[in-house]
Amino acid sequence: MSRPQAPRGTRDLLPAARAGFGHLESVARDLTARYGYQPIETPLFEQAEVFERGVGAVTDVVEKELFRVQAGRGDTERERWALRPEPTAGIVRAYVQHGMQTLPQPVKLTLTGPMFRYDRPQAGRYRQFWQFDVEAIGDAGPAIDAEIIELATRFYAEAGLTGVELRLNSIGDRACRPTYIEALRAYFTPLADDLPELERTRLATSPLRLLDSKDAQMQPLIAAAPIITDHLCDACAMHFAGLRRHLDAVGVAYRLEPRLVRGLDYYTRTTFEFYPPERDGQQDALGGGGRYDGLVELLGGKPTPGIGFGLGLDRVLLALERQGTPPIEAPRVAVVVVGADPADTVTRFRLATRLRAGGIAARAELGERKLGRQLEGAARDGAHLAVICGSELDDGQVQLRDLEAGTQRLVALDDLVREVERTQRQHRHGPDAQ
Ligand code: HAM
């Protein structure tokens, strides 16, 4: 049998890569706690309808990229499910299902986890990828829009990524977008015969998406098309001006990008995206988000405004790598328990258990190798200390060896946890540390 491989477009996160993700997750956890966002988890799959209604049935994400889930033959529920392509629709479904509109608003939620899109895999575009997502539901803004965007920029900064560009737009609301779409349709219709086939269909079904086209032939046409910010109603224009005023007040820099419409249908007013320096491709966007004032209602709740973002963690790691940031190292055990009697694995196991119960990261040498080999293994692991079990055990003592300094001393077993802790503290903070 040929050897099974991870499915195309997915990756095993081996410990080195997992450590990088872990670091980003901890930056996200810290930051969202600081801003008052609470973690939530929703299922990895939902009724397909949640995405069809929420994200929009004629978006790429739903039309082409949804992983539909089929249960086994015994399935009696016959529901149509799909793996989540993004978390916002599921979080809003949970908000409605659990009556969160009765809580003090806005409800501020965060989720970090894998998403699934059946797209053509390439660098930075995977079929399973990770997002750090933040949602504030129940506040019409514009101050909260600025707070969310500032949070995202701080995430990149605290993750160590520099030069990230914020692109900002407003795509209007139910009042003004139809007028703009008409203007767009009026502009593109005389050109219809020259449009690529896909774009001609889009002109009929969702003209806004024409602005998203990556077709080279479309670019000069898009550049000359009417722009939405010229068509905003007073309420949307005021909202957009308010958002910019708040961003300016805290020094968040942005580039106005009137053709930024985003690929999901739920957006109203504020939309934004983040790009690494000098990179512009669709598979380069480091993150994006916006306001979705109609989504709660679409999923069966009372009309409730909302805003959020999703940042692609795989792409943040790629960008950090391109920028030359050294990878985060997987944590190592600091202490290895070795012994002069290769066969006495019980004693080594017992001492390592005692250290771990005392809160110390320790590994026991469980193979029956000679002491020299055991010590070599400890050094190879990058351990700082070795606990050496020898004849002193009869007096209730072991040797504690500092593998870096090459020194060792006798320590009473009863003091072992305390002595290891003290040595580690000195190692971290210098010899004066107590
Ligand atoms: P999105 O722009 O579809 O927005 O995705 C957000 C980010 O996820 C992208 O900017 C990108 O970094 C990453 N991403 C998307 N697809 C892939 C892929 N195939 N491989 C690797 N990374 C990918 C949303 O998902 C919205 N839910 C954001 C949001 C939250 N809007 C309001 N609240």
Side-chain angles (χ1 to χ4, degrees):
M1 180 194 168
S2 61
R3 286 198 209 149
Q5 306 277 311
R8 209 161 93 80
T10 71
R11 291 158 309 145
D12 298 309
L13 298 178
L14 302 182
R18 189 65 190 85
F21 265 91
H23 175 64
L24 295 183
E25 283 167 335
S26 83
V27 172
R29 202 169 346 121
D30 261 30
L31 206 54
T32 46
R34 225 184 294 161
Y35 284 66
Y37 285 80
Q38 291 188 311
I40 182 173
E41 291 292 339
T42 62
L44 295 191
F45 64 100
E46 295 271 353
Q47 291 174 345
E49 203 191 340
V50 170
F51 307 119
E52 288 160 355
R53 267 207 266 165
V55 174
V58 285
T59 55
D60 280 355
V61 167
V62 168
E63 234 174 5
K64 301 188 198 151
E65 299 168 9
L66 213 53
F67 270 98
R68 297 188 182 265
V69 177
Q70 201 140 37
R73 284 174 133 247
D75 168 30
T76 49
E77 295 170 55
R78 296 266 170 246
E79 279 194 291
R80 293 188 316 120
W81 292 306
L83 297 184
R84 62 183 184 195
E86 59 97 55
T88 313
I91 291 175
V92 169
R93 191 264 313 135
Y95 174 93
V96 175
Q97 180 177 341
H98 301 285
M100 289 193 232
Q101 56 272 49
T102 61
L103 301 175
Q105 305 290 299
V107 176
K108 296 161 87 176
L109 301 168
T110 179
L111 179 155
T112 297
M115 308 296 150
F116 306 86
R117 295 185 192 178
Y118 186 75
D119 203 348
R120 197 167 51 80
Q122 54 179 281
R125 193 195 282 156
Y126 308 104
R127 290 179 172 171
Q128 176 174 342
F129 58 98
W130 270 256
Q131 269 191 18
F132 159 42
D133 180 89
V134 159
E135 310 290 351
I137 309 176
D139 184 331
I144 190 89
D145 304 35
E147 187 184 273
I148 285 250
I149 291 172
E150 193 274 335
L151 198 174
T153 60
R154 191 169 299 280
F155 171 78
Y156 293 124
E158 295 199 1
L161 199 57
T162 54
V164 175
E165 185 182 78
L166 162 62
R167 302 183 187 173
L168 187 64
N169 192 23
S170 170
I171 59 164
D173 65 5
R174 265 186 280 196
C176 52
R177 198 159 352 133
T179 335
Y180 172 65
I181 289 176
E182 269 328 298
L184 210 53
R185 201 173 261 137
Y187 167 80
F188 276 111
T189 302
L191 309 169
D193 289 345
D194 301 330
L195 297 184
E197 198 184 321
L198 174 66
E199 319 304 337
R200 220 174 310 140
T201 327
R202 282 181 173 168
L203 176 57
T205 55
S206 48
L208 262 191
R209 298 273 311 288
L210 288 170
L211 301 179
D212 231 5
S213 168
K214 295 294 167 253
D215 198 303
Q217 184 194 336
M218 291 293 292
Q219 300 316 309
L221 304 182
I222 293 171
I227 59 173
I228 184 131
T229 32
D230 289 342
H231 290 76
L232 294 180
C233 60
D234 288 350
C236 285
M238 267 173 61
H239 186 277
F240 196 33
L243 162 60
R244 293 188 326 256
R245 207 168 52 246
H246 282 82
L247 288 177
D248 294 341
V250 291
V252 171
Y254 49 85
R255 191 173 103 192
L256 292 177
E257 183 61 66
R259 290 176 185 87
L260 175 65
V261 290
R262 313 248 316 120
L264 316 174
D265 270 0
Y266 50 60
Y267 290 113
T268 51
R269 295 191 167 170
T270 309
T271 53
F272 53 93
E273 268 175 355
F274 296 95
Y275 280 85
E278 324 288 327
R279 286 192 167 254
D280 223 21
Q282 209 173 22
Q283 72 285 3
D284 289 321
L286 293 170
R291 183 159 276 293
Y292 45 82
D293 293 346
L295 185 55
V296 174
E297 208 178 343
L298 262 181
L299 293 175
K302 288 188 308 194
T304 310
I307 181 160
F309 63 67
L311 312 186
L313 297 187
D314 311 73
R315 294 186 187 174
V316 172
L317 283 181
L318 268 177
L320 282 167
E321 208 176 292
R322 285 195 183 115
Q323 178 187 276
T325 306
I328 301 286
E329 289 202 17
R332 296 165 164 231
V333 290
V335 184
V336 177
V337 183
V338 298
D341 176 3
D344 188 6
T345 50
V346 169
T347 300
R348 299 198 286 278
F349 174 50
R350 200 158 43 80
L351 286 194
T353 302
R354 184 192 284 207
L355 286 167
R356 294 186 288 236
I360 289 165
R363 163 175 93 71
E365 174 61 54
L366 298 177
E368 298 192 0
R369 304 191 282 180
K370 289 202 175 121
L371 179 58
R373 282 293 175 79
Q374 296 181 35
L375 283 167
E376 276 167 28
R380 210 174 31 242
D381 281 357
H384 164 216
L385 294 173
V387 172
I388 308 174
C389 314
S391 53
E392 303 88 350
L393 267 180
D394 296 342
D395 302 326
Q397 291 181 314
V398 285
Q399 295 279 0
L400 184 59
R401 179 185 296 200
D402 186 322
L403 292 166
E404 285 163 28
T407 54
Q408 70 182 46
R409 63 198 158 93
L410 275 175
V411 170
L413 278 180
D414 288 343
D415 295 337
L416 184 60
V417 168
R418 210 169 338 126
E419 281 302 308
V420 167
E421 274 173 351
R422 199 166 63 84
T423 317
Q424 286 183 325
R425 251 195 325 272
Q426 283 176 350
H427 185 68
R428 273 196 299 269
H429 305 297
D432 293 338
Q434 286 306 300

